[in-house]
Amino acid sequence: MVEKTSIQGLDIQPTRIALGTWAIGGWMWGGSDDHESIRTIHQAIESGINTIDTAPAYGQGHAETVVGQALQEFGHREQVVLATKVCLDWVGTDVFRNGSKERIMKEIDDSLTRLKTDYIDVYQVHWPDPLVPVEETAEAMGELYKQGKIRAIGVSNFTTEQMKAFMRVAPIHTVQPPYNLFEREIEKDVLPFAEKQNIVALCYGSLCRGLLGGNMTADRKFTGDDLRLSDPKFQAPHFTHYLAAVQELKNLAQERFGKSVRALAVRWILDKTKNGIALWGARHPDQITSVSEIEDFHLDSQTLADIDAILTKNIPEPIGTEFMAPPVRDDVIKG
């Protein structure tokens, strides 16, 4: 049984593992197979995961369309916690931030259509827009919340100061930051603030774009629009350092718990957050079948210390997530 948590405003408890669908959209992941994607979504639900996270920007609407088709085929919409996002826009495949009220009111209806539903469980501001007052964005989200089109309000990639400004206008029930064994910036402020405010953290990148999946090797090549071409972790000399750390983490997981490094990475997030949710990205059914591995173990203080020691030993220059931020509107339109 996958652990569950609670989000204010929802009638059902979301599982603490959610299926992440960025790769399912194909964009920045080298494409995807829709049939495989639908099978993956069904596999996740059958494995006990009731929470699915998606966004319009994942393939410029494609991921939402695939998720909507999968849920229509599976049925029982009321048993699924469906989370999507807003406030990114695009021209062709050039994505940029757009937190305007106009964008939000248009995108909610587009998302409802693509997802084949009449409400969104968790609606999240994908990225803050520096060209739009956060109060305007919050006001629009608050209106949708009052209308019942969304059951909970979330923000993603927000600082604590941005969250405080937002909360002066509308409530925040969830926050979605990057968080994994290798990317821990939110421990300084965002995570403590969320826990104090009873805001549930949906942690994305739990497997660090496949690094913590355990199958990546030094000869792995990334092509096309693959995000990892712009992530310094996947470039020399950093790639070698991170792979060395993964190998030692793999050994620790197997020798101490009889688990995979993938299970160790997800368990780490669940144990490090009081009520957080780990987003498990997948686009093939076999990438999600091992979810049962997470259920029967926890990481004690010695294991957490040993993990930190492995990272300190192998990674002399830790890389953050700064490269992931999309541009502002003017940079794309004028460019």
Side-chain angles (χ1 to χ4, degrees):
M1 180 73 70
V2 182
E3 300 165 45
K4 293 185 177 180
T5 186
S6 297
I7 295 175
Q8 184 180 343
L10 301 191
D11 294 330
I12 63 173
Q13 290 187 305
T15 47
R16 293 195 66 204
I17 297 175
L19 177 66
T21 64
W22 188 357
I24 280 174
W27 174 65
M28 299 191 79
W29 289 91
S32 62
D33 180 298
D34 290 353
H35 178 69
E36 275 287 281
S37 296
I38 289 173
R39 289 181 58 227
T40 302
I41 294 166
H42 291 170
Q43 178 64 57
I45 298 173
E46 290 165 0
S47 298
I49 295 173
N50 73 354
T51 307
I52 299 173
D53 180 81
T54 190
Y58 301 164
Q60 291 74 61
H62 190 68
E64 284 190 329
T65 299
V66 173
V67 169
Q69 182 63 36
L71 292 182
Q72 184 181 60
E73 292 180 12
F74 194 86
H76 308 291
R77 163 69 182 92
E78 73 285 352
Q79 298 176 15
V80 174
V81 176
L82 186 55
T84 192
K85 307 178 188 75
V86 69
C87 295
L88 287 186
D89 205 341
W90 55 84
V91 175
T93 57
D94 292 328
V95 174
F96 54 91
R97 310 187 202 195
N98 186 348
S100 67
K101 181 175 182 179
E102 180 184 15
R103 178 63 181 173
I104 293 169
M105 293 308 179
K106 176 185 185 302
E107 200 62 48
I108 181 65
D109 291 333
D110 290 346
S111 288
L112 290 171
T113 298
R114 288 189 289 255
L115 291 165
K116 302 181 188 298
T117 185
D118 56 4
Y119 69 96
I120 305 295
D121 294 285
V122 184
Y123 203 42
Q124 305 158 96
V125 179
H126 206 151
W127 282 86
D129 183 351
L131 301 182
V132 174
V134 69
E135 292 81 5
E136 177 182 334
T137 301
E139 181 181 0
M141 296 290 282
E143 285 185 24
L144 295 178
Y145 180 60
K146 292 175 182 176
Q147 291 170 8
K149 288 187 175 182
I150 63 178
R151 304 288 169 83
I153 297 174
V155 295
S156 180
N157 302 297
F158 268 51
T159 66
T160 54
E161 291 306 311
Q162 289 165 336
M163 284 193 281
K164 289 175 183 177
F166 191 105
M167 291 170 70
R168 287 193 281 269
V169 178
I172 294 178
H173 306 108
T174 69
V175 61
Q176 186 170 146
Y179 190 49
N180 57 62
L181 274 168
F182 294 142
E183 298 166 337
R184 307 187 185 187
E185 289 85 349
I186 69 165
E187 291 179 350
K188 300 173 186 175
D189 49 14
V190 171
L191 193 56
F193 178 80
E195 291 178 350
K196 184 177 180 180
Q197 298 292 329
N198 197 31
I199 296 170
V200 175
L202 282 73
C203 305
Y204 75 81
S206 59
L207 300 180
C208 199
R209 292 164 292 288
L211 260 178
L212 289 162
N215 297 320
M216 201 167 286
T217 57
D219 60 356
R220 176 70 179 271
K221 302 298 181 185
F222 306 101
T223 60
D225 65 352
D226 197 307
L227 173 73
R228 290 166 290 194
L229 286 170
S230 60
D231 185 343
K233 294 183 197 63
F234 296 86
Q235 319 304 322
H238 308 294
F239 194 31
T240 301
H241 300 158
Y242 278 94
L243 287 178
V246 170
Q247 184 57 54
E248 288 201 33
L249 291 169
K250 185 185 293 189
N251 294 340
L252 182 151
Q254 180 58 45
E255 293 167 6
R256 196 164 299 183
F257 303 107
K259 300 292 184 179
S260 67
V261 68
R262 182 192 302 262
L264 181 79
V266 175
R267 184 75 260 170
W268 183 89
I269 292 172
L270 299 185
D271 287 351
K272 291 280 283 186
T273 61
K274 290 182 179 179
N275 60 352
I277 295 172
L279 297 185
W280 186 319
R283 51 179 162 176
H284 302 288
D286 62 354
Q287 294 174 329
I288 203 74
T289 52
S290 57
V291 65
S292 60
E293 270 198 288
I294 317 297
E295 299 170 11
D296 60 352
F297 79 112
H298 292 275
L299 307 183
D300 56 33
S301 58
Q302 184 59 57
T303 298
L304 293 173
D306 291 343
I307 288 172
D308 290 348
I310 288 172
L311 270 57
T312 299
K313 171 188 172 184
N314 289 283
I315 306 172
E317 298 179 79
I319 306 295
T321 58
E322 297 80 7
F323 73 96
M324 296 183 70
V328 299
R329 180 168 56 256
D330 289 356
D331 291 344
V332 172
I333 301 299
K334 292 177 182 178

